[in-house]
Amino acid sequence: MTTPVSPTQPALIAYDDAPLTRFHIRIAVAGTGGQFSDGFILGIIGIVIASAGDTLGLTPLWTGALGAATLTGLFVGAIAVGPVADRIGRRSIFGWDMLFFAVLSLLQFFVQTPGQLLILRLLLGLVLGADYVVSKSLVTEHSPRKFRGRLMSLLAVAWAAGYVFAYLIGFLLTGHGDNAWRYMLAISALPALLVFGFRLGVPESPLWLARHQRNAEAADVVRRHLGPGVLPPTAPPPSRDRGFTALFGPVYRRRTAVGALFYVCQVIPFFALGTFSSQVMESLGVTSKMGAGALYNVFLLIGAVVGLVLIDHISRRRFLVGTFFIGAVLLTALILFAGAGASAIVVIGVFAAFAFLMSAAVNLEFVYPPELFPTDLRASGVGIATAASRLGSAASTFLLPVVEAGHGINTALVGCVVILLAGGVVCWVWAPETSTESLLDTDTDTDTAATSGQRPSG
């Protein structure tokens, strides 16, 4: 959309339709820090527990607590910080949380008891939960509509890279002394410090500023970083002071449900099979567990990159529904091939294809939830979706080995197939198409819907 200024002046470009600039790329790169760190610390903890068990005297209870600590902290951080970020803005939290993360990461090197490590892992999770909601909201609100999917997908690639990097670091350091696990934990401070430098000077979201009637500040941010040819955003104030509970009211509850349910249905099979990829392959008759695990991680990273390329060329609904149903088909094929005694190459190939598909679909976890909600509720909505996903991932990593031990790997895989099918049905019935929506229109339309009792369009 363009607005003519005068017959002699070029048309002004709407904020949503601004051309891609280095400023947008810088914002997206700055937003990757928390995602890389989350992928790394979730990927490294299993290796650390195996390496530090004797030094710290880990019992099964401590092992389970340490494995769940970061996910628990992330759940609390996402829920608590979302409403705060909607009220005070994104910039202040976004600007400093990676520095806190780096300090906490370094402190892990010096722990002497499992209790000390547990506290630090909980705090790291809290910081990451906060970063999830502010980074997704801020990058979304700074991104032009045409490039929003690809810029947000950089965060998904960063998460996959952090997870794969953890696998690599664990492989390289395992067996190199009694303190190798300490270096595994502390090394996550380095990328956090690097990204902290990128975040210095990042401005507040013009959409958030406009939504809070700070139009002069919004115009100044746009003029300084996008130039005088781009119109600053404008938005009416909310019809009333909407809080966290508005997300569960008649206007937004369907979008809130879709954001949480699709996220949960993706992460349960993704985390369960990814965390225990070696054990799953062994149960399916593949003898090279480490090789299968390495291949799984490689295809996770490749899938994330391919998803980044495709995200703005496929409708959000088609991507959501298609990847759920295709994932269910691939997992079913894995069960049938393994049961029929297919060769290890075939079994590993199908498993890698599943990893590739799900990793490509994970891009939607970063792109879709922020697009579902208006600016004054965006961080809160993303917080609910993120918190729900962490409950799902914690449950899946706890239940898969229990189900496998009691009922066999096929039962666990069938459960994952059912969850994928449920996610596909939910998205087919409820998921709106958001790729063509303007974030400005979303603000306006949802206010109108709130006063008329109708749900938002799309």
Side-chain angles (χ1 to χ4, degrees), residues 192-218:
L193 287 173
L194 177 63
V195 170
F196 170 68
F198 274 91
R199 293 187 175 190
L200 295 175
V202 169
E204 183 59 85
S205 156
L207 277 172
W208 185 87
L209 290 169
R211 190 63 162 165
H212 288 77
Q213 302 302 288
R214 294 163 61 175
N215 294 312
E217 295 174 65

Side-chain angles (χ1 to χ4, degrees), residues 347-382:
V347 174
I348 292 174
V350 175
F351 197 48
F354 176 79
F356 172 86
L357 178 79
M358 294 306 296
S359 185
V362 162
N363 284 272
L364 290 162
E365 297 172 7
F366 297 85
V367 177
Y368 195 58
E371 293 179 341
L372 287 170
F373 305 105
T375 300
D376 61 309
L377 297 174
R378 181 163 293 121
S380 298
V382 170

Side-chain angles (χ1 to χ4, degrees), residues 223-235:
R223 183 176 60 254
R224 284 189 292 112
H225 296 284
L226 302 181
V230 177
L231 282 169
T234 57

Side-chain angles (χ1 to χ4, degrees), residues 100-231:
F100 288 116
F101 181 91
V103 172
L104 293 170
S105 291
L106 289 173
L107 288 176
Q108 292 179 107
F109 185 88
F110 303 101
V111 298
Q112 300 297 321
T113 67
Q116 293 172 350
L117 184 57
L118 178 68
I119 292 172
L120 289 174
R121 301 292 292 183
L122 283 168
L123 293 174
L124 286 167
L126 284 170
V127 174
L128 288 177
D131 191 75
Y132 255 74
V133 297
V134 295
S135 62
K136 288 183 178 181
S137 298
L138 190 65
V139 176
T140 295
E141 291 166 3
H142 272 296
S143 299
R145 173 170 40 191
K146 184 177 178 181
F147 303 96
R148 190 186 304 148
R150 279 164 284 183
L151 290 172
M152 291 299 295
S153 290
L154 287 175
L155 278 62
V157 173
W159 191 97
Y163 197 83
V164 173
F165 185 65
Y167 188 90
L168 177 62
I169 290 296
F171 176 78
L172 292 176
L173 293 182
T174 297
H176 286 73
D178 294 337
N179 287 321
W181 60 272
R182 297 183 184 274
Y183 292 98
M184 294 180 198
L185 291 170
I187 201 170
S188 60
L190 297 179
L193 287 173
L194 177 63
V195 170
F196 170 68
F198 274 91
R199 293 187 175 190
L200 295 175
V202 169
E204 183 59 85
S205 156
L207 277 172
W208 185 87
L209 290 169
R211 190 63 162 165
H212 288 77
Q213 302 302 288
R214 294 163 61 175
N215 294 312
E217 295 174 65
D220 182 61
V221 171
V222 172
R223 183 176 60 254
R224 284 189 292 112
H225 296 284
L226 302 181
V230 177
L231 282 169

